Amino acid sequence: MATNLDRAMREELVERRRRLEQAADPGPEIEELLHSVDAALHRIEDGTYGLCEVCHDPIETDRLIANPLETLCLGDLTAAQQRALEQDLSMAAQIQRGLLPPPDLMAKGWSASYHYRPAGPVSGDYCDLLESPSGLFFALGDISGKGVAASMLMAHINAVLRTLVQLEVPLESLVERANRVFCESSLPSHYATLICGTASADGRVQICNAGHPPTLLVRRAGVDHVQATGIPIGLFCGQAYSVRCFELEPGDMLVLYTDGVSEARDPGGREYGHERLGAAAKWGRGPADAVKACLEDWGAFRGAVPPADDVTLMVLRRMG
């Protein structure tokens, strides 16, 4: 029986074949690609698609998504193929770093800082800060899965949201449109948690949270948790989202993070959690200090346990 991945990859391969057939000047390279596509479609039909042609073990899913014609698992690549893959990953990591916002930003009465660390060469976390007509736009997301496929989807979300922000689309509509685009351009097995928000100079904050861990509002009186207002994007194309609004005083902070931070575990298996993260953030006088304090506490908690996931942490502080 065909799996969801097989069905999705079959649709992708059929579409690629259609485009190849429409090539104005089909030459040897086009004919070779058509042959490779047909061979992959045949493997789907006989149930061998996604299996290494040498050892017959499953090929890594993210590599299949990035290249539906892949026929070898990582362990059976030749030395030349391994070098080429390493070069591709290095280039992908360089491109991804280029998509990140400035590490420290001051705009519209707010200052912001973040930490972004992939678990491997590339990350499925999304992180952005952008000055918009209505205030400082901030976003944080986490694509399901890891590796090249997740990083490609991260870059796609980055392009979509940056375009919509400049068009001054309302926050809930922005996330709804991003959800539709994500549904239409990714496999059924992929989804993403996402927080988008705006912070204006008068201290007003709007947050739309699509299935992401809660945002922390760090105030003098304590730490509040802003829970999700909708489900992750990519699950249902017609999903509606809502926005929550808050007023922050000068000195108050917003803390956003991916689950690579909150779900990290210590040597005894205990989870770090967002309660401890919020407490650590209160030690910082500004965003950069708060990020540093959180990472130091997080590292001390983990001890010798290495991070198991991509890690992204963002702090915004109202100036004044």
Side-chain angles (χ1 to χ4, degrees), residues 130-164:
L130 181 67
E131 188 173 353
S132 72
S134 58
L136 179 62
F137 173 80
F138 55 90
L140 208 69
D142 187 357
I143 314 296
S144 60
K146 299 181 180 67
V148 175
S151 71
M152 291 170 64
L153 291 171
M154 173 273 198
H156 191 40
I157 288 179
N158 177 280
V160 170
L161 291 182
R162 282 199 158 230
T163 300
L164 293 174

Side-chain angles (χ1 to χ4, degrees), residues 70 82 93 107 110 128 179 187 208 236 246 248 286 302 306:
E70 189 62 70
Q82 289 178 351
W110 292 80
D128 207 0
N179 176 55
L187 294 175
C208 184
F236 300 99
F246 306 88
L248 268 68
R302 289 188 299 105

Side-chain angles (χ1 to χ4, degrees), residues 42-199:
H42 178 72
R43 291 196 297 275
I44 290 176
E45 295 301 323
D46 67 16
T48 60
Y49 182 77
L51 299 180
C52 176
E53 64 180 15
V54 175
C55 68
H56 308 297
D57 285 340
I59 299 170
E60 297 77 13
T61 301
D62 67 316
R63 295 180 60 237
L64 277 177
I65 295 172
N67 177 18
L69 303 180
E70 189 62 70
T71 60
L72 296 174
C73 68
L74 284 173
D76 287 307
L77 295 178
T78 66
Q81 289 172 325
Q82 289 178 351
R83 286 194 298 271
L85 178 61
E86 290 170 358
Q87 291 172 354
D88 288 345
L89 286 173
S90 177
M91 180 63 71
Q94 184 177 346
I95 292 171
Q96 190 170 62
R97 287 193 297 270
L99 294 175
L100 293 172
D104 297 287
L105 181 64
M106 297 178 64
K108 304 288 186 177
W110 292 80
S111 58
S113 186
Y114 69 89
H115 173 82
Y116 185 92
R117 183 171 68 187
V122 291
S123 173
D125 282 1
Y126 165 58
C127 171
D128 207 0
L129 289 162
L130 181 67
E131 188 173 353
S132 72
S134 58
L136 179 62
F137 173 80
F138 55 90
L140 208 69
D142 187 357
I143 314 296
S144 60
K146 299 181 180 67
V148 175
S151 71
M152 291 170 64
L153 291 171
M154 173 273 198
H156 191 40
I157 288 179
N158 177 280
V160 170
L161 291 182
R162 282 199 158 230
T163 300
L164 293 174
V165 167
Q166 296 304 322
L167 295 176
E168 297 189 62
V169 175
L171 200 57
E172 62 270 31
S173 298
L174 182 148
V175 176
E176 288 166 10
R177 293 189 191 184
N179 176 55
R180 287 197 296 272
V181 171
F182 195 88
C183 281
E184 294 166 359
S185 60
S186 62
L187 294 175
S189 59
H190 278 87
Y191 61 89
T193 63
L194 176 68
I195 287 180
C196 292
T198 57

